[in-house]
Amino acid sequence: MDIFVDSAGPFLGALATTIVMAITAGIGSLVVGTLIAAARISPIPVLRGAAFVYVQFFVNVPLLALLILAVFALPDAGIIMPLAPTTVVVLALYEAAYVAEAIRSGVNTVSNGQIEASRALGFTLGQTLRLVVLPQSFRAAVQPIGNVMIALTMNTALAAAVGVVELTAAANKLNLVQAQPILIFTAAGVIYMLLALVIGLSAGRIERKVAIVR
């Protein structure tokens, strides 16, 4: 335990970086994912097509490849950002594709009768989505979105590959000094497990509170 006591400061700082990255990227993925989901169910073919291409691209390209591309290719294009914000943006855009699919699955729980009723009341497409479809879709997709947030938190570990000092990178640095891989990486794994458990339990609690009684 002396290993962690002596390195508590850097280790906790790296854990804070992981949590901040997960929260920030999670919020970004929810915003972008909602817009993509709305575009995918839009009656406008161009929007549907663009959203479909977006989802297929990010679902089928490895996250690590995207991170490396963003970190090393964007500066050559004149776009220079710090490592952590770059990683957060890539994570948000990547996970937004999965959030969009989760929300779109929730759309299937909204009956056609409600959509027709909103049209009969004179709602525009935007009002129908904002007031009728998306709120119910979110309520039905709480657990799937929670699963996406867990995956996002785990995926922050890939930031170590591009130089961001988060939990995995800190554990690796500590291991290089202390040469105790089993102890150090088990501790890091337990921390990731606890983060996932918090997210999963929170999603379950929210799901029970907003459940649609039919």
Side-chain angles (χ1 to χ4, degrees):
M1 295 302 295
D2 291 341
I3 295 175
F4 298 106
V5 172
D6 295 339
S7 306
F11 208 75
L12 290 175
L15 173 58
T17 298
T18 292
I19 294 173
V20 170
M21 286 174 57
I23 292 174
T24 308
I27 294 172
S29 67
L30 286 173
V31 173
V32 177
T34 301
L35 295 176
I36 296 300
R40 290 215 65 183
I41 61 176
S42 167
I44 303 173
V46 174
L47 287 179
R48 288 202 312 273
F52 175 79
V53 171
Y54 179 97
V55 171
Q56 292 304 311
F57 175 79
F58 283 101
V59 165
N60 292 293
V61 177
L63 176 57
L64 183 57
L66 293 173
L67 285 171
I68 293 174
L69 184 65
V71 169
F72 295 105
L74 288 182
D76 290 341
I79 303 174
I80 301 175
M81 293 174 59
L83 286 177
T86 300
T87 302
V88 167
V89 170
V90 174
L91 277 170
L93 294 176
Y94 179 82
E95 299 296 343
Y98 294 91
V99 170
E101 289 301 279
I103 295 174
R104 195 164 71 96
S105 69
V107 171
N108 295 328
T109 66
V110 182
S111 67
N112 290 330
Q114 294 187 52
I115 297 174
E116 293 298 329
S118 66
R119 290 176 180 172
L121 292 172
F123 284 14
T124 63
L125 173 62
Q127 289 174 323
T128 300
L129 290 175
R130 181 168 54 87
L131 300 176
V132 179
V133 178
L134 289 180
Q136 294 186 69
S137 300
F138 269 111
R139 293 169 70 179
V142 169
Q143 198 60 57
I145 291 175
N147 294 337
V148 173
M149 295 300 111
I150 290 174
L152 187 156
T153 302
M154 301 300 106
N155 284 337
T156 58
L158 293 176
V162 293
V164 179
V165 183
E166 43 68 69
L167 182 58
T168 298
N172 189 48
K173 288 185 176 182
L174 183 58
N175 178 60
L176 291 176
V177 174
Q178 301 293 340
Q180 295 285 342
I182 296 177
L183 177 61
I184 293 171
F185 286 105
T186 297
V190 169
I191 292 173
Y192 279 116
M193 183 188 70
L194 291 175
L195 292 174
L197 186 62
V198 169
I199 297 171
L201 291 176
S202 299
R205 185 172 182 180
I206 294 172
E207 183 180 40
R208 288 191 295 273
K209 283 190 174 183
V210 302
I212 302 173
V213 179
R214 300 186 184 279

